[in-house]
């Protein structure tokens, strides 16, 4: 049987990590895990419970009362669950996006999520996207991709996505949110987004989804073959 590997995809907010990760997982028959969805689900819980996300002790306490998991939907795509209920749609709103980076910088939150992520990746065959997948979660991942795109392209993509969903947002508010999250995610003390020299960099500002997929698939095949 062909060797299974883990693929880590890290990078800035809204640069298409999820799209590529899903396509790779489908083509390889691997499991796709959106680690950002887990931090978003924790944030949703804090907002619902009225927990001040800047109060680390309150967040840590509330964390003990929640369960994060995944279920497969009718299209066989995984959806994140909060206390057993899918929250896939709710976690994408701007209220959650506004607070998620504050929650994700808290060490107790990261420790819980990383333990879950590692358990999922234990038997290999996982494509996981996030900020610290190749540096902290799976430092031994056989293929690590670092994705990036220009801020204007990223803001426009996320704006189009949310408008298509019927959300009432402006391009300016999206651009501000991406900038806010990028700054916190790359400068926080715990597991910051960091480009180390074992990543392959993929700037997709001017790449079609197909071209990006072909490039990444080629790297994946080489990694599976052990090159
Ligand atoms: O999809 P988008 O690029 O907007 O972000 P996401 O992957 O859904 O992640 C949301 C937020 O979760 C990020 O801005 C980070 O603050 C946090 N995150 C993290 O800290 N570590 C990860 N492995 C994944 C996400």
């Amino acid at each position: 049987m062909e060797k299974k590997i883990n693929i880590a995809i890290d990078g800035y907010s809204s640069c298409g990590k999820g799209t590529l990760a899903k396509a790779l997982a489908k083509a390889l028959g691997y499991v796709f895990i959106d680690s950002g969805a887990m931090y978003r689900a924790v944030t949703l819980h804090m907002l619902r419970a009225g927990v001040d996300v800047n109060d680390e002790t309150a967040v840590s306490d509330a964390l003990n009362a929640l369960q994060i998991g995944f279920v497969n939907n009718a299209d066989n795509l995984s959806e994140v669950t909060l206390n057993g209920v899918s929250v896939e749609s709710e976690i994408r709103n701007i209220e959650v996006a506004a607070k998620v980076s504050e929650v994700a910088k808290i060490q107790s939150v990261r420790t819980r999520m990383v333990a879950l992520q590692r358990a999922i990746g234990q038997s290999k065959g996982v494509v996981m996207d996030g900020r610290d997948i190749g540096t902290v979660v799976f430092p031994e991942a056989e293929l690590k991709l670092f994705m990036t795109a220009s801020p204007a392209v990223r803001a426009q993509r996320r704006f189009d996505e949310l408008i298509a969903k019927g959300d009432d947002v402006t391009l300016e508010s999206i651009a501000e949110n991406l900038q806010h999250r990028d700054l916190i995610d790359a400068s926080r003390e715990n597991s910051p987004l960091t480009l180390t020299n074992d990543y392959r960099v993929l700037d997709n500002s001017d790449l079609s989804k197909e071209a990006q997929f072909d490039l990444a698939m080629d790297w994946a095949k080489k990694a599976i073959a052990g090159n």
Side-chain angles (χ1 to χ4, degrees):
M1 214 176 80
E2 196 175 62
K3 183 182 106 179
K4 282 194 173 180
I5 62 168
N6 280 339
I7 302 178
I9 306 186
D10 289 308
Y12 294 104
S13 296
S14 193
C15 53
K17 299 182 298 290
T19 305
L20 178 63
K22 260 182 230 164
L24 284 176
K26 192 169 175 211
L28 294 165
Y30 283 14
V31 173
F32 159 62
I33 296 291
D34 175 356
S35 70
M38 301 167 74
Y39 292 97
R40 285 173 176 266
V42 173
T43 305
L44 178 69
H45 175 85
M46 301 301 159
L47 295 179
R48 282 180 176 170
V51 174
D52 174 2
V53 299
N54 296 307
D55 181 343
E56 288 198 21
T57 311
V59 170
S60 299
D61 287 348
L63 193 64
N64 293 325
L66 65 86
Q67 289 293 334
I68 301 293
F70 287 94
V71 279
N72 274 356
N73 67 17
D75 298 324
N76 210 27
L77 286 172
S78 77
E79 295 194 349
V80 71
T81 59
L82 173 60
N83 297 329
V85 178
S86 171
V87 286
E88 193 59 39
S89 171
E90 295 90 322
I91 59 165
R92 307 287 163 196
N93 68 33
I94 194 85
E95 289 79 20
V96 171
K99 298 291 179 208
V100 62
S101 290
E102 277 75 6
V103 172
K105 70 182 185 187
I106 300 174
Q107 187 55 52
S108 57
V109 174
R110 305 206 68 82
T111 304
R112 267 284 291 282
M113 297 307 117
V114 170
L116 280 169
Q117 292 153 6
R118 286 193 179 141
I120 296 168
Q122 218 174 24
S123 41
K124 302 269 183 176
V126 170
V127 185
M128 193 175 291
D129 80 299
R131 305 292 183 287
D132 60 339
I133 310 305
T135 51
V136 175
V137 181
F138 303 140
E140 310 300 326
E142 291 82 352
L143 177 62
K144 301 182 185 184
L145 303 180
F146 192 96
M147 288 181 66
T148 180
S150 73
V153 166
R154 295 193 275 129
Q156 187 67 49
R157 283 183 190 150
R158 182 54 47 92
F159 175 72
D160 292 345
E161 227 172 79
L162 292 176
I163 289 291
K165 238 181 71 179
D167 284 9
D168 183 20
V169 289
T170 62
L171 185 57
E172 291 69 39
S173 67
I174 300 296
E176 268 170 33
N177 176 252
L178 297 186
Q179 203 185 9
H180 169 78
R181 287 198 283 130
D182 285 350
L183 182 69
I184 299 181
D185 295 347
S187 64
R188 67 188 177 208
E189 201 178 317
N190 305 317
S191 314
L193 171 66
T194 315
L195 173 58
T196 50
N197 59 14
D198 49 352
Y199 279 92
R200 290 180 182 270
V201 178
L202 216 167
D203 183 334
N204 66 10
S205 309
D206 300 310
L207 272 187
S208 69
K209 276 182 197 162
E210 293 73 24
Q212 152 180 300
F213 172 77
D214 291 346
L215 193 60
M217 197 59 192
D218 191 46
W219 289 334
K221 282 183 185 152
K222 287 188 176 129
I224 291 167
N227 304 312

